[in-house]
Amino acid sequence: MSLANLEELFLHEVKDVYDAEQHIVKALPKMIRAVESAELQNALEKHLTVTEKQIQRLEEVFQLLEKPARGTKCAGMEGLLKEGSSLLEEDAEPIVLDAAMIGAVQKVEHYEICAYGTLIAFAKELGYEEIAELLEHSLDEEQEADETLTEIATAVNRSARQCGEEEEAVAAKRT
């Protein structure tokens, strides 16, 4: 692919985010099944639905650009999701795994926040106001998901810390 101008770069990045969102839709169900916190499960289920809408929005962007809806391999998202998935293989207490999943999903959210912010800046520079508005909806949703995860993390992290303290107390009593 040629990146001779901002228009070509913009299309490349739209394809990258499109691929990233598709990977997220595939990864979220496994994460939902793995976590214990009902609040976290609900947040991830909601974000799965939101991500499916974001894919539809990106398909609308492709239509407005008169380009086929096709992704370009997003190595960054693949890496983040692989890292998160590897945590599922660890021998972890359920609440500690929940804390780990929140961190992994927030890494994904931050990647998406950055990607959508960049796309919006490019779209505005190129005069694609309608596309910028579509992308701003997705950016808002990503920021909302990140805020929700931060709120959930407060309680989950506290419980995960207490889990460790309980184990230390039991070990101290044995000695």
Side-chain angles (χ1 to χ4, degrees):
M1 167 177 244
S2 171
L3 296 178
N5 55 51
L6 188 61
E7 179 120 17
E8 289 175 354
L9 177 59
F10 177 70
L11 179 59
H12 178 272
E13 294 302 309
V14 169
K15 289 179 176 184
D16 186 80
V17 170
Y18 186 66
D19 185 67
E21 295 291 16
Q22 302 228 359
H23 282 291
I24 293 165
V25 165
K26 291 177 187 170
L28 275 173
K30 186 176 180 183
M31 291 179 178
I32 292 166
R33 288 190 301 273
V35 299
E36 185 172 89
S37 161
E39 187 178 16
L40 180 54
Q41 284 176 339
N42 290 336
L44 295 177
E45 287 170 357
K46 179 183 176 192
H47 196 61
L48 176 59
T49 301
V50 167
T51 303
E52 290 166 346
K53 290 178 187 170
Q54 290 169 345
I55 289 171
Q56 292 171 353
R57 239 182 251 127
L58 288 167
E59 289 170 349
E60 191 174 339
V61 168
F62 282 114
Q63 286 180 332
L64 291 168
L65 294 171
E66 298 178 354
K67 302 289 182 185
R70 198 172 61 226
T72 297
K73 182 179 177 179
C74 182
M77 187 57 68
E78 276 188 8
L80 288 172
L81 292 172
K82 184 176 179 183
E83 184 178 311
S85 181
S86 72
L87 291 169
L88 298 175
E89 308 303 320
E90 297 293 328
D91 180 26
E93 290 294 321
I95 195 67
V96 176
L97 181 62
D98 284 4
M101 285 296 97
I102 290 170
V105 174
Q106 282 193 293
K107 288 178 186 179
V108 167
E109 295 307 320
H110 290 196
Y111 184 97
E112 291 177 292
I113 289 167
C114 177
Y116 280 112
T118 299
L119 285 174
I120 292 164
F122 290 169
K124 287 180 177 179
E125 183 63 30
L126 292 165
Y128 297 151
E129 294 305 320
E130 186 176 356
I131 291 173
E133 287 180 28
L134 288 170
L135 298 171
E136 284 171 353
H137 288 297
S138 295
L139 176 60
D140 291 343
E141 291 165 344
E142 299 300 353
Q143 290 170 330
E144 181 182 321
D146 184 52
E147 290 169 10
T148 299
L149 289 167
T150 297
E151 290 171 13
I152 295 169
T154 301
V156 169
N157 293 347
R158 184 174 299 118
S159 295
R161 179 183 49 109
Q162 291 170 348
C163 178
E165 290 172 355
E166 290 169 9
E167 288 178 13
E168 288 175 14
V170 168
K173 288 181 182 177
R174 289 185 189 153
T175 58

